[in-house]
Each structure stands twice: as structure tokens, then as C-alpha cells.
Amino acid sequence: MDSFSTLIRTASHEQHVEAETSTFMSDLLGGRLGMDAYARYTEQLWFVYEALEAAAGRLAADPVAGPFVRPELLRLASLERDLAHLRGAGWRAGLTALPATEAYAARVRECAEDWPAGYVAHHYTRYLGDLSGGQIIRDKAERTWGFARKGDGVRFYVFEEITNPAAFKREYRDLLDGIRADDLEKQRVVAECKRAFALNTAVFRALGEEFPLSA
């Protein structure tokens, strides 16, 4: 029988691929969009991570979500440094969430408030994604827009406190396998992972509409 971490990965694979291959992300990574599109995407990430990390302190003692709340994963400070680099010192004044981003952040807050196992689903899809595919985005961004390697503009993707990402991901998957949840609850968590990917894809779709490539 597959482990729970394997079940999550395989069950959400289709949604994961859909998110990764969205038109916006393909255009961004293909160098067909300008730095403004990258900055706008970074702004949207801020709203999602603000929702994730605002709840982290409160959930640290929760028996289900607590083991996943790891300080070395926290991204908000790095995002804010990137935004200051991309948008200037007054970046907060121009910060706006797309409706799709608002829906995504609202769902994260809802899970954090009422359903710790659902919060874990969002935690998993974001942070393990950042540790994996996020490195592709960092590399492309450095080469496309000339950011210093692992410097301002791409700090969000740099996990300075995680010296061995592969080992960390194995440890994280072990935590998933040991999650305090029965089979029905695990199925709900899998469904929430799929929902998280769908919410993320909706943000990409909205960004694609905001930054269409001229025909």
C-alpha cells in the first residue's frame, strides 16, 4: 500500500502539472514577459504567504499541523526584501491582490482557523513546491533579469537554513506519513491539496489575462 506522502503526490499530479504549465508561467520562464510580470507574481505570493505564516505561531502547538511549522521554511521576510528590490521602498503602497489571489489566501486562512489538517495540505503544496520547482524559477529569473545569484529579487527561492533540500524533503514526507489522521481525513487532505493547486492555477490564469502576449 502506498504511503500517504506518495498518495498525495500521485493524486495531485495532474493539478500540479496544470499549474506548472500554465500559459503565464510558460511565458515568464520562457523570457517572453518583462520584469513587471515577475514583480506582479511576487506580489501575489506575498498575500498567500502572509495567510500561511500569520497562522504559523498559533498552529505550532497543534498536534496535527504543529510538526510542519518549521522556522527554516518561512518566506515572508524574503518576499518583502524581494518586493523592496523589485518595486522600491514604498512597495506596500502599491500592493494589490487579484481576486483569484484573495480567494486563495482566504481559503488558507479558513483552513488555518478551522481545520489544521487542511492547513497542512496548503503548507505542503507551497513549501515543498518552492524547494523543488521554485529553484527553476530562481535560475530563470537570475538569467533573464540579471539578479545577483541568490540575491535580492530571488531571495524568496533561497532557503539559507536548509543545507540539504533532498534530506529535508524526505523528512517532511516522513511527517506526512505519520500525520495524525484517519483514512477519511487523509482523503480530505488529498482533496484539499488538489484544491490548493487549482487555486494556484487560477492565480496564474488571472496573471495571464493581465499580461497577455501580443499576437
Side-chain angles (χ1 to χ4, degrees):
M1 185 175 171
D2 284 341
S3 65
F4 183 47
S5 58
T6 301
L7 180 67
I8 283 181
R9 192 167 72 249
T10 54
S12 59
H13 179 72
E14 193 177 320
Q15 286 83 2
H16 193 173
V17 170
E18 187 181 352
E20 282 186 340
T21 57
S22 68
T23 302
F24 173 78
M25 191 50 72
S26 297
D27 288 342
L28 191 68
L29 296 181
R32 294 183 290 277
L33 294 173
M35 198 191 295
D36 188 45
Y38 175 76
R40 187 76 170 119
Y41 170 55
T42 307
E43 288 177 346
Q44 303 315 297
L45 288 173
W46 184 90
F47 289 97
V48 177
Y49 283 85
E50 194 280 328
L52 273 167
E53 296 182 8
R58 183 169 48 78
L59 287 170
D62 182 85
V64 176
F68 296 89
V69 177
R70 307 280 290 271
E72 60 266 46
L73 285 172
L74 298 179
R75 298 288 86 205
L76 206 58
S78 297
L79 269 173
E80 292 180 352
R81 192 162 167 179
D82 285 342
L83 285 168
H85 182 77
L86 293 163
R87 296 296 202 199
W91 64 269
R92 283 182 190 273
L95 195 66
T96 55
L98 292 159
T101 306
E102 288 177 351
Y104 189 175
R107 181 58 185 167
V108 171
R109 281 192 294 270
E110 188 180 348
C111 288
E113 192 66 37
D114 303 324
W115 183 29
Y119 174 84
V120 170
H122 288 277
H123 194 278
Y124 161 78
T125 55
R126 290 268 29 136
Y127 292 108
L128 251 63
D130 300 332
L131 268 170
S132 303
Q135 301 315 303
I136 298 167
I137 299 174
R138 175 183 63 78
D139 181 61
K140 290 279 190 180
E142 287 168 357
R143 285 191 281 141
T144 303
W145 297 297
F147 299 124
R149 180 167 157 74
K150 297 188 176 182
D152 289 347
V154 293
R155 289 189 184 277
F156 168 72
Y157 302 103
V158 181
F159 291 79
E160 290 180 334
E161 294 177 47
I162 298 177
T163 53
N164 187 334
F168 184 91
K169 285 185 277 190
R170 279 196 301 273
E171 191 180 326
Y172 191 103
R173 291 189 182 107
D174 286 343
L175 287 176
L176 281 174
D177 291 339
I179 195 170
R180 295 172 63 168
D182 61 23
D183 287 346
L184 184 61
E185 181 74 339
K186 286 178 179 178
Q187 288 300 325
R188 291 181 67 216
V189 172
V190 169
E192 192 64 30
C193 281
K194 292 181 178 182
R195 183 171 181 173
F197 280 118
L199 287 163
N200 191 44
T201 301
V203 173
F204 286 150
R205 196 174 298 122
L207 284 164
E209 290 169 7
E210 193 170 303
F211 294 93
L213 282 173
S214 51

